[in-house]
Amino acid sequence: MTPKDFFDFAKKNGSDMVDLKFTDLLGTWQHCSFPISTWDEGTFVDGVGFDGSSIRGWQGIHMSDMLAIPDPDTVCMDPFYKDPTVSIIANIVDPITRKEYSRDPRYVARKGAAYLKGTGIADTCFIGPEPEFFIFDEGRYEQNQHTGFYRIDSVEGAWNTARFEEPNLGYKPSYKGGYFPVSPTDTYHDLRSEMTKELQKVGIVVEAHHHEVGTAGQAEIDIKFDDLVTIGDQFMWYKYIIKNVAKRAGKTVTFMAKPVFDDNGSGMHTHISFWKGGTPLFAGDGYAGLSQMALHAIGGILKHASAVLAFAAPTTNSYRRLVPGFEAPVNLVMSARNRSAAVRIPMYSDSPKAKRAEFRCPDPTANGYLAWTAIMMAAIDGIQNKIEPGKPLDQDIYEMSDEELAKHKHTPGSLEEAIDALEADNAFLTAGNVFTEDLIQNWIDWKRTEEIQPLALRPHPHEFHLYYDS
């Protein structure tokens, strides 16, 4: 789409307003709206100014001015505003140098896509995410000097089987019992269908939606794979639409990895494959029908997994999910069918087009642009250096002894461990200047000072249960 096409699109849809969106370092959309009459074709070259010091993880106050350059290829209608409003995603530029901003996550993904093509390995990295989330009726929390608590609730919560509901009909998914039940146990079919329709309106292809394993409204809406940058854009729309449809229905959605104690957390299994000239490159006659390239890609992902998870499982809460016993993919091995393996090779189809690797460790708190680019860079490194993935783990881990399990590497036990791993292992990310050292160090500093250290300072509610009467 050209700038002229943009104005024709706005006129056709009766829109007098444009909403400009971009993604901050941690993966949250920011926006500013303008009357379309204030824009012209030059806006797509000159951009619009904003204060970069007010965006998390970006500029200092002494050099705050930044430019947002609209990308006309991202135009669609925003589905939630009262008046017809055109939405467009921006790329971020320094107003002095006119260079693209190294801390703009979308720029990282764009550089990553170009780097892959430049290696000659492939021309496209396809990403297919499976984000999970919880739909709650209430989410309350507070933390100060004398109080620390959270409270979540759901009409579907297994803990509400005895609640007075005038009447309580008893249809509550049990703990770990939420996978695929029909109504009346699954009460959110219509809401997920509404979310699906809104996703389709902005051009996202939805493959399926269903209730997930957890009680209390855990859900999954699967979207079709697409190239790295496009899927990054779509993931931003995904979160935005699902949260706003839920709010419109008087519900609240969280993408936290582990909001419910003692039940399944929310992951974001990520399917990855490389293609060249329209031909899939991951199909072959190796293990699970994979090519040698695919096996080396998996080797790279497994080798760098701990560092990758600093971006792909990027919160302290992420490591409440990555623990044994909840179908969590904590073993850094591959397997054709074992869901406790970090990398699974789906066996639903023998078609070469369906051959891919499924990295199961990420969760939906991730910034998709950064997480998926990091996964791709690890795969590229594996291919370039012919990294072997090791023997597959095809047996039931619950029947394995502690000694057998100890032979396999595991995912980090905390965000702090993942950040330490990123600090020690990041050369594969800076290849081709895809991730800059500045961005990586800024990410490390932010996570340590704004998340890890503040959490370490605060008493935990369970500590009162353990130690109050010591």
Side-chain angles (χ1 to χ4, degrees):
M1 185 176 283
T2 66
K4 181 181 182 303
D5 293 332
F6 165 83
F7 292 104
D8 291 342
F9 178 86
K11 184 176 181 181
K12 177 183 176 182
N13 286 278
S15 176
D16 296 322
M17 296 292 293
V18 56
D19 194 57
L20 186 71
K21 299 178 172 74
F22 60 88
T23 306
D24 69 13
L25 186 68
L26 301 184
T28 300
W29 248 354
Q30 310 294 327
H31 81 129
C32 185
S33 299
F34 307 83
I36 288 180
S37 59
T38 65
W39 284 27
D40 56 29
E41 292 190 25
T43 307
F44 290 82
V45 177
D46 300 329
V48 295
F50 68 96
D51 176 9
S53 69
S54 296
I55 305 301
R56 295 181 302 177
W58 279 13
Q59 296 291 82
I61 198 168
H62 62 293
M63 48 190 304
S64 61
D65 289 354
M66 301 294 289
L67 288 175
I69 309 293
D71 181 348
D73 285 336
T74 65
V75 168
C76 63
M77 296 300 295
D78 191 293
F80 296 107
Y81 295 127
K82 177 183 175 183
D83 296 320
T85 301
V86 176
S87 177
I88 191 167
I89 296 173
N91 297 314
I92 309 304
V93 168
D94 185 287
I96 306 301
T97 65
R98 299 296 299 188
K99 291 182 179 179
E100 299 210 55
Y101 187 43
S102 65
R103 296 184 188 178
D104 175 10
R106 191 168 192 261
Y107 181 43
V108 174
R110 289 165 56 220
K111 285 191 292 180
Y115 174 71
L116 173 65
K117 200 173 290 188
T119 64
I121 292 171
D123 54 34
T124 307
C125 172
F126 281 122
I127 297 290
E130 298 179 8
E132 298 168 343
F133 53 93
F134 277 88
I135 304 167
F136 292 140
D137 292 288
E138 181 179 57
R140 294 192 289 131
Y141 47 89
E142 184 176 17
Q143 180 74 62
N144 53 39
Q145 284 78 8
H146 66 95
T147 304
F149 85 97
Y150 70 87
R151 181 178 177 82
I152 53 176
D153 207 358
S154 167
V155 69
E156 279 197 357
W159 55 84
N160 281 325
T161 54
R163 186 171 68 175
F164 184 65
E165 292 181 357
E166 298 184 322
N168 187 326
L169 301 178
Y171 296 112
K172 317 288 186 186
S174 61
Y175 295 104
K176 299 189 183 183
Y179 193 67
F180 276 27
V182 297
S183 60
T185 302
D186 177 5
T187 66
Y188 286 126
H189 171 88
D190 289 340
L191 186 60
R192 294 193 308 269
S193 291
E194 186 180 344
M195 293 169 176
T196 294
K197 290 177 181 178
E198 295 293 356
L199 290 167
Q200 291 171 327
K201 285 180 184 178
V202 299
I204 296 175
V205 178
V206 175
E207 295 185 324
H209 75 71
H210 60 85
H211 205 291
E212 255 301 339
V213 174
T215 189
Q218 191 181 31
E220 180 175 319
I221 300 177
D222 294 330
I223 59 179
K224 186 179 179 180
F225 67 88
D226 217 317
D227 69 88
L228 177 64
V229 178
T230 300
I231 206 70
D233 293 344
Q234 290 185 355
F235 185 49
M236 300 309 300
W237 275 112
Y238 184 98
K239 284 187 168 182
Y240 177 72
I241 286 172
I242 285 174
K243 288 178 180 178
N244 277 284
V245 170
K247 183 174 182 291
R248 194 163 65 190
K251 305 288 184 179
T252 179
V253 158
T254 181
F255 287 93
M256 282 178 66
K258 189 75 169 182
V260 179
F261 167 63
D262 211 25
D263 203 348
N264 282 43
S266 292
M268 186 172 66
H269 306 153
T270 294
H271 299 255
I272 180 172
S273 63
F274 288 170
W275 291 50
K276 190 173 186 179
T279 300
L281 302 178
F282 274 18
D285 56 6
Y287 173 76
L290 294 178
S291 65
Q292 190 61 57
M293 175 187 287
L295 292 170
H296 286 154
I298 292 171
I301 292 171
L302 292 174
K303 176 181 178 181
H304 300 296
S306 294
V308 167
L309 289 178
F311 291 108
T315 69
T316 58
N317 184 253
S318 299
Y319 299 88
R320 309 287 189 256
R321 166 183 170 257
L322 289 175
V323 294
F326 295 88
E327 300 182 27
V330 296
N331 298 292
L332 291 178
V333 293
M334 70 172 180
S335 175
R337 301 176 72 178
N338 193 332
R339 280 173 157 77
S340 71
V343 176
R344 187 177 77 96
I345 299 92
M347 302 300 291
Y348 301 124
S349 172
D350 290 331
S351 169
K353 295 181 178 180
K355 283 301 173 186
R356 72 259 190 204
E358 178 191 8
F359 187 38
R360 295 174 60 81
C361 303
D363 69 62
T365 57
N367 180 333
Y369 296 115
L370 299 181
W372 296 326
T373 304
I375 295 169
M376 182 194 71
M377 295 297 287
I380 292 172
D381 186 66
I383 293 166
Q384 290 176 328
N385 292 290
K386 295 181 170 54
I387 300 172
E388 295 296 335
K391 293 182 179 180
L393 178 63
D394 288 332
Q395 61 191 110
D396 186 344
I397 63 166
Y398 299 109
E399 295 180 356
M400 295 173 64
S401 67
D402 291 341
E403 292 76 15
E404 289 175 308
L405 286 171
K407 295 177 183 178
H408 302 289
K409 292 183 179 180
H410 295 87
T411 52
S414 66
L415 178 61
E416 185 172 13
E417 287 183 24
I419 289 296
D420 289 346
L422 175 62
E423 191 168 48
D425 176 26
N426 59 57
F428 72 99
L429 296 172
T430 58
N433 203 38
V434 174
F435 284 77
T436 62
E437 292 181 6
D438 168 74
L439 184 149
I440 292 170
Q441 191 58 53
N442 190 46
W443 184 268
I444 290 170
D445 292 345
W446 178 279
K447 289 294 173 178
R448 283 177 174 160
T449 61
E450 302 295 330
E451 299 179 33
I452 295 169
Q453 293 173 8
L455 195 70
L457 288 172
R458 286 159 171 77
H460 188 285
H462 194 60
E463 291 177 325
F464 283 80
H465 170 75
L466 294 172
Y467 309 126
Y468 188 82
D469 196 28
S470 296

